[in-house]
Amino acid sequence: MTAPGLAIGLADIEAAAARLAGHAVRTPLLTSAVLDEAVGARVFIKPECLQRTGSFKFRGAYNRLAAMSDGERARGVVAASSGNHAQGVAEAARLFGVPATIVMPQDAPATKRLRTERSGARIVAYDREREDRVAICEAIAAETGAIFVPPYDDPFVMAGQGTAGLEMAQDLTALGLRADAVLVPVSGGGLLSGVATAFAALAPAACHPVEPEGFDDTTRSITSGRHEANAKLAGSLADALLARTPGQLTLPILKAHARPGFTAGDADMKAAVAFAARELKLICEPGGAIALAALLSGAARFSGGTVAIVLSGGNIDDAMLADCLAA
Amino acid sequence: MTAPGLAIGLADIEAAAARLAGHAVRTPLLTSAVLDEAVGARVFIKPECLQRTGSFKFRGAYNRLAAMSDGERARGVVAASSGNHAQGVAEAARLFGVPATIVMPQDAPATKRLRTERSGARIVAYDREREDRVAICEAIAAETGAIFVPPYDDPFVMAGQGTAGLEMAQDLTALGLRADAVLVPVSGGGLLSGVATAFAALAPAACHPVEPEGFDDTTRSITSGRHEANAKLAGSLADALLARTPGQLTLPILKAHARPGFTAGDADMKAAVAFAARELKLICEPGGAIALAALLSGAARFSGGTVAIVLSGGNIDDAMLADCLAA
C-alpha cells in the first residue's frame, strides 16, 4: 500500500526484490566487535560495496530496466552519473542485452569510468562546470530513442534501492532486534527514500541521511519541509553525494519517513575508509563510508543503542585508498 | 559420529558451532559476477577476513577455551603463532577474562603484533631461525601453569575451525547446490581437516588444500599417505602458511576426507590480494588469498563447475597491501 502522495510503498519494494532475486547480491548484515567497542553501541553493517558493480546502484537500475516492456528496453538506455549509477545502469543493460550510453563528468574517478566501459557502455564525457548533463541526455534520447534512467527521482529506481532496506529490516527482525537509528549516505535521496519506506513498514526506526559537510540539503529540506539547495556542486571527497537538492519524488517520502541527519567532512570520511579497510576488511569509497564516518566521529550520540549503517559503495581508486590509509 | 582413528567428527563441529554462536561471526557465503566471469565457474566465497580478529583462527581458539573447565581456564593460556592464531587466542582469552601469553616470531607482521597486544595478551618474541617456540611455550606453561593452545593439532581447535565448513555446507545446501571443489588455505591442516569433515558428512565435495609454492607438504602427505615435510621454514609471502608438516591429528582426517591440492606463488597471491580489494571489495592477506590465487591462476581447471573458496584472513600491513596493489 502506497500512502497518498508518495511515489512508492512497501509493495513496490517487494516487487523490486522479486525482480532482483538471483541478479543482485543479497548482501549480509555484518557485525564487528571492534566497531561495537569503538562506538559503544551495537552496530549492524549493510555492506553494499559487496553488491554487484560495487554499490547499491545496481539495485535501482536493474529494477528500472526489468520493469520496462521488451519494446522499451530494446531502444536502449541513457543515464548521467559520476560513476556508481553509471555502472549500475551499464551492468543492468549488459544483462538485458541492450545498449547503454552514460553521460559522465570528465573528472569522474578513473576506476568508475573503466568499470562502466567494462560493462560495454558508451561513455559521453562532459564538463561539470560548463555543460548541463540533463540536456546532453535529452539530446541522446531524442537522437537514439534511448530511455533515460534517472539516478534517483523515479519510483522503480527508488523501490530498487529500497530492497537494501527491506533486507536490513528483515535481517534485524529475524534477530529479534529493532534499530534505534539507521544511517544512510544521501545525495538525491533514492536510497534513503527506499530504505526509510521499508523500515517504516516493517521495523520502525529513526532513519537519518548522512551528507558531506557543506552539502546538507537533505537535512535542511526535511527540517524546513521544502526543497533546500546546496550552494556548491563540487568540493567534497564524496563525489557520489553532490546532488544539488532532493528529488521531487524522494523529498515527500523523506519528510514522511526520515528525520534530519548528520554530516561528515573529508577527514572523517578518510578515517572511515581506513577503519573499514583495517578493521572491517571492507573496501569503501569516501562517500560510501560517510555513514560510518558520522558514526565514528559522533559516537557519543549513539552510545548504548542499536545502530544500522549502509556502506553504500566501494569503487575507490588505488591512489585514493592509499591516501586514506596514509591520513 | 567420529570415524575410528579420526580426532573429530561432525558432532564435534556441531558442538563447536553451539559454543561459538553469538561470539564468532557467522560469515556469509558471497558471490561475485566479476569473479564468476574471470574463472568461468560458479564461485562461492567464505570471507573469514570478516571473522572476529580478521581470520578463522578465532573459531578454534574460542572453542578450545570454551571447552575448558573454569579451573583450567583460570590458569591462563599460552600459544605460539606468527599472528592470526595469536589474535584468536588473545581475543578468546580476553572474552573469558583470563590471561594469555603469545610466543611470536620477531619478524611477524606489525599489524598482527599490534592487534594481539590490543586484546591484552603478553607477547614473548623469539628468533624464528635460532629458537624453538614449542620449548619456549613449554617453559612458560611450566612456570605459570598456563595451558598450551595448539595452532592446529587439537580436536577442539580443529572442530572450531570446522564450523566455517559447516556453515558453507549448510549455505550451499540451502541454495540447492553441491560444490565440485572446495579450496582451503592450509598450513598445519586445522582448517581443512574441519572443513573436509563437515563437507564429507553434509555435502560431499572434493576438498583440496592450497599451499604456497615450495611448501606443499600437505598435498605430498595426502598423496604418499605419510608425513612429508617442507625443506624450508621461511621464504613465502604467506607468513601464516609455513608449518613444516601436517599435524598428527590432522593428517589422518586429510587422508580420509581431502584430496591432493594446488599451490600458488607470491606473484599469484599478490594478484589475488589486489583482485579481492578491487573486485570483491574485501581485504585479504597474501596467505588468506591463496585459494583465490589458485582459482584465478588455474581457472581452466575449474571451468563450468561450482567452486567454494575460503578467504582465510585479512590481517595485512598497509605497506604490503600497497605492494600488492602496485604489482
Side-chain angles (χ1 to χ4, degrees), chain B residues 143-274:
Chain B
E143 184 190 328
T144 67
I147 295 178
F148 179 62
V149 179
Y152 47 85
D153 224 15
D154 175 282
F156 291 102
V157 171
M158 293 156 65
Q161 322 302 30
T163 58
L166 180 71
E167 294 166 7
M168 295 170 79
Q170 289 170 338
D171 290 356
L172 285 167
T173 301
L175 292 168
L177 295 172
R178 278 287 163 84
D180 298 301
V182 180
L183 306 185
V184 180
V186 166
S187 181
L191 177 60
L192 180 58
S193 63
V195 169
T197 297
F199 270 92
L202 297 176
C207 294
H208 302 279
V210 185
E211 301 173 280
E213 276 174 16
F215 298 85
D216 62 341
D217 56 299
T218 302
T219 278
R220 288 188 289 114
S221 299
I222 292 172
T223 302
S224 74
R226 55 171 196 264
H227 280 86
E228 307 290 345
N230 296 321
K232 302 176 292 183
L233 290 176
S236 163
L237 276 185
D239 60 281
L241 302 183
L242 305 182
R244 200 179 69 86
T245 189
Q248 295 299 321
L249 301 182
T250 59
L251 184 56
I253 292 181
L254 300 183
K255 286 163 62 179
H257 298 314
R259 308 222 184 148
F262 311 103
T263 61
D266 283 358
D268 291 333
M269 284 188 264
K270 283 187 178 183
V273 169

Side-chain angles (χ1 to χ4, degrees), chain A residues 131-143:
Chain A
E131 294 184 275
D132 176 6
R133 65 185 191 174
V134 174
I136 297 171
C137 285
E138 284 171 353
I140 291 168
E143 184 190 328

Side-chain angles (χ1 to χ4, degrees), chain B:
Chain B
M1 197 181 65
T2 307
L6 300 186
I8 64 166
L10 179 63
D12 301 295
I13 298 172
E14 291 174 333
R19 291 188 196 101
L20 288 171
H23 303 288
V25 176
R26 193 190 190 289
T27 54
L29 202 56
L30 300 173
T31 58
S32 159
V34 174
L35 179 57
D36 284 359
E37 293 194 17
V39 181
R42 191 165 183 183
V43 183
F44 292 88
I45 304 155
K46 184 68 170 174
E48 283 295 298
C49 45
L50 303 181
Q51 185 53 262
R52 197 162 189 150
T53 73
S55 90
F56 73 96
K57 288 284 193 178
F58 175 75
R59 295 176 184 264
Y62 189 90
N63 190 46
R64 183 69 191 83
L65 269 77
M68 292 179 186
S69 70
D70 289 348
E72 287 174 323
R73 242 187 342 252
R75 292 158 53 191
V77 292
V78 58
S81 163
S82 63
N84 284 334
H85 178 57
Q87 289 172 75
V89 171
E91 180 70 358
R94 186 181 73 85
L95 292 173
F96 280 110
V98 303
T101 304
I102 305 295
V103 178
M104 186 176 277
Q106 285 164 340
D107 63 347
T111 185
K112 293 183 175 177
R113 178 174 177 132
L114 285 169
R115 283 155 192 279
T116 306
E117 289 173 334
R118 188 167 73 177
S119 287
R122 178 169 75 101
I123 308 285
V124 175
Y126 78 99
D127 183 329
R128 227 189 250 265
E129 302 286 320
R130 301 189 311 171
E131 294 184 274
D132 176 6
R133 65 185 191 173
V134 174
I136 297 171
C137 285
E138 284 171 353
I140 291 167
E143 184 190 328
T144 67
I147 295 178
F148 179 62
V149 179
Y152 47 85
D153 224 15
D154 175 282
F156 291 102
V157 171
M158 293 156 65
Q161 322 302 30
T163 58
L166 180 71
E167 294 166 7
M168 295 170 79
Q170 289 170 338
D171 290 356
L172 285 167
T173 301
L175 292 168
L177 295 172
R178 278 287 163 84
D180 298 301
V182 180
L183 306 185
V184 180
V186 166
S187 181
L191 177 60
L192 180 58
S193 63
V195 169
T197 297
F199 270 92
L202 297 176
C207 294
H208 302 279
V210 185
E211 301 173 280
E213 276 174 16
F215 298 85
D216 62 341
D217 56 299
T218 302
T219 278
R220 288 188 289 114
S221 299
I222 292 172
T223 302
S224 74
R226 55 171 196 264
H227 280 86
E228 307 290 345
N230 296 321
K232 302 176 292 183
L233 290 176
S236 163
L237 276 185
D239 60 281
L241 302 183
L242 305 182
R244 200 179 69 86
T245 189
Q248 295 299 321
L249 301 182
T250 59
L251 184 56
I253 292 181
L254 300 183
K255 286 163 62 179
H257 298 314
R259 308 222 184 148
F262 311 103
T263 61
D266 283 358
D268 291 333
M269 284 188 264
K270 283 187 178 183
V273 169
F275 185 97
R278 292 192 184 117
E279 305 296 344
L280 308 181
K281 313 300 180 188
L282 293 171
I283 297 280
C284 293
E285 57 190 276
I290 197 168
L292 177 62
L295 185 64
L296 290 169
S297 63
R301 187 181 286 141
F302 305 102
S303 179
T306 299
V307 185
I309 63 172
V310 179
L311 300 182
S312 56
N315 292 316
I316 186 171
D317 283 349
D318 290 352
M320 176 57 72
L321 175 62
D323 196 31
C324 293
L325 289 172

